[in-house]
Amino acid sequence: MHVDNLKDFNLKYAGNVITSYQINLTEKQLKEIEKTLQKYIKDPETYSLLGNNCTTVALSALIENNIKVNEKTPAISGSRFPMLTIGNVTNAGGFSPSRLLGVLGSSLNSGVVSEIKRFRIARQ
């Protein structure tokens, strides 16, 4: 699942539908999130669909940098993953793409997310 650059990303995901989120950030917030993501790149840990995945990293980077996101329905209690609550978001060990969409697409976060687009990666 790891890609190092845009060309590799386009080759790997050609034909797939991607969701893009435009997050309202100050220049300072953007720089801090970039630093956080650079740490993930240097030490990505072990990938897991149910835990450490791209959507978990994306939402965690927002939360770690105090970008206020809220969740309508917290994770189900008693799931097999440890519950982690940062701010108003409860993380049951990982976020699926659909759960990320549920959080970032929620009207509760309309001040944070200004646009959500879905598009298909063109085949080369």
Side-chain angles (χ1 to χ4, degrees):
M1 302 269 175
H2 178 81
V3 293
D4 290 319
N5 55 53
L6 182 59
K7 181 181 176 185
D8 289 348
F9 179 87
N10 288 336
L11 287 171
K12 185 170 190 80
Y13 294 103
N16 287 305
V17 175
I18 304 296
T19 303
S20 167
Y21 303 91
Q22 184 170 330
I23 309 293
N24 299 321
L25 300 171
T26 65
E27 199 61 37
K28 181 180 177 187
Q29 289 170 320
L30 178 60
K31 287 179 182 176
E32 291 303 313
I33 288 173
E34 287 173 343
K35 286 181 194 175
T36 300
L37 293 175
Q38 286 300 320
K39 286 189 237 173
Y40 281 112
I41 290 169
K42 288 179 183 173
D43 185 19
E45 300 178 5
T46 302
Y47 182 89
S48 167
L49 284 174
L50 301 175
N52 187 33
N53 60 53
C54 56
T55 53
T56 302
V57 168
L59 191 56
S60 294
L62 293 174
I63 293 168
E64 288 174 28
N65 288 285
N66 298 313
I67 308 303
K68 304 296 183 207
V69 291
N70 298 290
E71 188 173 22
K72 283 184 180 179
T73 308
I76 299 168
S77 178
S79 76
R80 60 182 244 172
F81 300 104
M83 301 296 273
L84 170 65
T85 301
I86 303 174
N88 292 323
V89 176
T90 302
N91 180 352
F95 283 86
S96 66
S98 62
R99 184 155 179 227
L100 181 69
L101 175 61
V103 171
L104 295 182
S106 166
S107 60
L108 295 172
N109 296 310
S110 61
V112 176
V113 180
S114 58
E115 187 173 25
I116 299 174
K117 290 183 183 178
R118 292 180 59 86
F119 58 93
R120 184 173 307 278
I121 303 294
R123 295 191 186 277
Q124 305 287 317

